[in-house]
Amino acid sequence: MSAAEWVGAWSEKRAALSPERVGLVDAATGTEYTYADLDRRANRCARLLADHGVTADPDDESAETAGRVAVVSRNRPEYVDLFFATGKTGGVLAPLSHRLAPRELAELFATVDPHLVVVEEAFAGLVDDAADEDTWSADAPVLSLPVGAAEGGKEDGSASGATTWEPYEAALPDDGSTFDGPAVDADDPHLFLHTGGSTGTPKETVVSHEALVWNSLNTITAWGLRDDDVTPMVFPMFHTGGWNVLTLPIFHMGGTVVVDREFDPGQILGVVDERSATVLVAVPAVLRMMTDHDRWTETDLSSLRFVKSGGGPCRESVMEAWWDRGVDLSQGYGLTECGPNNFAMPDDWPREKAHTVGVANVHVDARVVDDDGQSLPADEIGELQLRSPHAADGYWSSPEESAETFGEWVSTGDLARVDDEGYVSIEGRKKNMFVSGGENVYPAEVEDAIVDHPAVADAVVVPVPDDQWGQVGKAVVELRDGGGELPLDGLREFLDGRLARFKHPRHLAFVDELPTSGPDKIDREAVAAEFGE
């Protein structure tokens, strides 16, 4: 056993317990990796990282000195190697989104200040453009990950126009024996996960070894994960969903995670059918697209023990489509700064609670507070605050922002209410609430009512100026195929009796498709920029 504990010992201990069990499947190549394979790969990778200084400093216990590796890639096995390997070396893994613009990516590179960079060749041009920005010195060595022909690359594994860097595989040492790494403390950082960046440059959230383990334990105990669970990982690994929602809890239990460079709804249905997937977590848009896919009716969903929706409110029509197929679908809630798996549905929960995210997990405390930080009684709306050992430590190099969000409680910035049975309902972002004629309007509530209309696929409500009421709502609507026309008067007539009239949108706009950001979440900021104030 190496000296490293916490995440550093994870792959080694799992390999000792279940060496021949398949832990990871690369759907792009069809390759299966046992837990023994994953630990050997992690040991080779750890030696590579140590050679590049991506390790804890044995002479300095400060987290500031931990070496960092930045990664720009889609989901692939090397990401898992780097996760376990940084755990062994005491280094930090900083996944960066390949969906960012070059300047945004350069700013994150400058914040992370990596000792090593690993780039999938498909994004070589993006990283080159980021290196041309004046915010990042780009002096760290870079290793490349190939793109196979089946993944849009050339037969030799390169991508068109890719920069020539040393291949990651060629740089790996051959020695896959146990890596004798430094001792790692529970509160040492292991992941830098950047936020969505709705305002300005995304912030890097510092997630410790302890927080990763506690989130995994919270998920296992509250959701009832098993060692025979199989899941397709549809969240990107630059996002907390890619690691903390299911990947790490499944690894903790010894189950199987299926990854691919990209997953479309038809592929996910294929994995569920062909691999007898038992659990699935995805954003509402993906769950809706799965129900609309040609494979939906022919896919055997009977292996799914449960499905959870996260990343935004799931419309009741989508939930009913899954329920009609006998699948237990419920909503979850989380954020990069805490968890993200904070709530669960109790056993035999009633369908009338489907609009909620359930009750707090075993090692999570939740409360709703007013603007003065005072707890509110049941059914009153205020800001949701969370407390748990799986909370992150703060934002990297951002003391003021950290002080605003982190403390004894994590301030989520989300509005919520708790009913008298402890079920929590998310009412939208605090910053999205607007005041119309002196009344508070919560867009999420209005959107839920609008999407009940049979012609509506999805909707976002943003405030716009009004001479009489100060602000009123404008509904930006994506219609269903064949949904026909939806005049404003018709929509307001539909909402009568469902919403107070001051909540009714006074303006209406249509889009072919609502814009998305991150892991297919609706980009409210983009909608507001185009259609709002």
Side-chain angles (χ1 to χ4, degrees):
M1 173 63 67
S2 67
E5 293 296 337
W6 298 93
V7 175
W10 213 331
S11 65
E12 184 178 355
K13 289 184 175 180
R14 177 44 63 190
L17 288 168
S18 48
E20 300 308 313
R21 192 179 296 167
V22 175
L24 183 70
V25 178
D26 183 7
T29 63
T31 308
E32 297 183 346
Y33 300 91
T34 66
Y35 280 103
D37 295 332
L38 292 177
D39 190 51
R40 282 191 293 269
R41 290 171 63 93
N43 287 325
R44 295 178 65 198
C45 184
R47 290 181 167 85
L48 170 66
L49 296 183
D51 288 343
H52 287 277
V54 183
T55 183
D57 187 341
D59 299 321
D60 188 344
E61 295 182 358
S62 170
E64 302 286 329
T65 64
R68 297 174 288 280
V69 54
V71 185
V72 182
S73 174
R74 296 171 295 178
N75 294 4
R76 52 190 301 151
E78 293 86 351
Y79 242 138
V80 177
D81 300 342
L82 289 161
F83 174 84
F84 285 132
T86 46
K88 290 173 180 286
T89 68
V92 174
L93 175 62
L96 304 181
S97 172
H98 53 76
R99 298 172 181 170
L100 297 173
R103 175 163 288 277
E104 295 170 315
L105 185 60
E107 290 173 342
L108 280 181
F109 270 124
T111 300
V112 171
D113 189 20
H115 295 67
L116 177 67
V117 178
V118 179
V119 180
E120 187 178 2
E121 289 281 1
F123 309 108
L126 170 63
V127 174
D128 278 343
D129 289 343
D132 290 338
E133 298 287 343
D134 56 11
T135 51
W136 176 41
S137 61
D139 55 0
V142 181
L143 300 176
S144 66
L145 300 172
V147 181
E151 304 161 41
K154 299 178 181 179
E155 292 296 335
D156 62 3
S158 66
S160 178
T163 302
T164 302
W165 294 311
E166 182 180 10
Y168 168 88
E169 185 66 33
L172 282 173
D174 293 331
D175 187 357
S177 63
T178 299
F179 177 81
D180 187 16
V184 176
D185 290 332
D187 59 357
D188 283 348
H190 184 225
L191 280 182
F192 281 4
L193 295 173
H194 57 76
T195 59
S198 58
T199 56
T201 304
K203 297 181 289 291
E204 289 287 353
T205 308
V206 182
V207 186
S208 69
H209 286 247
E210 182 178 31
L212 294 171
V213 172
W214 271 109
N215 176 75
S216 181
L217 292 172
N218 268 327
T219 307
I220 290 166
T221 54
W223 294 3
L225 296 185
R226 306 188 314 212
D227 61 4
D228 60 350
D229 276 328
V230 178
T231 188
M233 179 40 54
V234 302
F235 291 99
M237 285 179 163
F238 60 74
H239 185 270
T240 187
W243 295 107
N244 289 317
V245 167
L246 274 180
T247 299
L248 301 184
I250 291 287
F251 284 161
H252 206 158
M253 287 299 297
T256 304
V257 177
V258 183
V259 298
D260 203 347
R261 309 302 174 267
E262 306 284 350
F263 265 129
D264 65 37
Q267 287 175 296
I268 301 171
L269 289 168
V271 171
V272 170
D273 205 350
E274 296 155 18
R275 294 272 175 182
S276 297
T278 58
V279 293
L280 170 67
V281 183
V283 297
V286 170
L287 295 174
R288 175 170 64 85
M289 287 187 285
M290 291 175 71
T291 66
D292 291 339
H293 197 274
D294 292 342
R295 297 186 65 165
W296 172 249
T297 55
E298 65 188 50
T299 300
D300 183 1
L301 303 178
S302 62
S303 61
L304 286 170
R305 295 194 297 111
F306 67 84
V307 174
K308 293 193 78 70
S309 169
C314 189
R315 309 311 184 191
E316 189 169 343
S317 60
V318 176
M319 301 182 79
E320 287 176 344
W322 285 86
W323 296 340
D324 288 346
R325 293 293 310 276
V327 178
D328 179 18
L329 169 62
S330 62
Q331 301 192 76
Y333 170 86
L335 64 164
T336 307
E337 291 85 347
C338 192
N341 297 339
N342 296 294
F343 298 94
M345 301 303 284
D347 296 342
D348 302 319
W349 58 277
R351 286 289 183 259
E352 58 264 27
K353 300 291 188 180
H355 65 285
T356 77
V357 296
V359 301
N361 285 347
V362 177
H363 302 290
V364 177
D365 296 324
R367 68 178 186 178
V368 172
V369 300
D370 61 20
D371 290 340
D372 295 322
Q374 299 301 308
S375 294
L376 292 171
D379 289 322
E380 289 199 22
I381 294 176
E383 182 178 8
L384 176 65
Q385 293 187 336
L386 300 169
R387 181 172 60 186
S388 173
H390 71 203
D393 291 337
Y395 300 121
W396 180 250
S397 299
S398 300
E400 292 182 4
E401 290 87 346
S402 294
E404 291 176 1
T405 300
F406 297 91
E408 180 186 357
W409 295 84
V410 175
S411 298
T412 67
D414 286 314
L415 295 166
R417 76 170 89 211
V418 184
D419 68 18
D420 55 9
E421 295 180 85
Y423 286 81
V424 176
S425 302
I426 306 301
E427 305 295 336
R429 293 292 290 170
K430 188 175 181 179
K431 66 179 182 180
N432 291 335
M433 186 200 79
F434 62 94
V435 179
S436 183
E439 299 280 1
N440 292 343
V441 179
Y442 303 98
E445 178 189 17
V446 183
E447 292 157 7
D448 283 343
I450 292 173
V451 297
D452 284 340
H453 193 287
V456 176
D458 218 331
V460 170
V461 173
V462 295
V464 294
D466 184 83
D467 291 339
Q468 182 177 2
W469 304 112
Q471 289 180 309
V472 294
K474 182 174 187 176
V476 182
V477 172
E478 177 185 333
L479 292 173
R480 293 186 178 276
D481 290 340
E485 296 183 355
L486 180 62
L488 179 61
D489 288 347
L491 176 60
R492 297 194 64 189
E493 182 179 350
F494 174 79
L495 296 176
D496 272 337
R498 298 168 185 260
L499 288 175
R501 292 190 65 83
F502 71 84
K503 300 177 184 179
H504 288 199
R506 301 299 180 99
H507 304 276
L508 187 59
F510 298 95
V511 293
D512 292 334
E513 186 175 3
L514 287 167
T516 58
S517 66
D520 298 310
K521 293 171 63 175
I522 292 176
D523 189 342
R524 301 187 66 93
E525 284 70 31
V527 176
E530 182 173 355
F531 296 99
E533 295 185 83

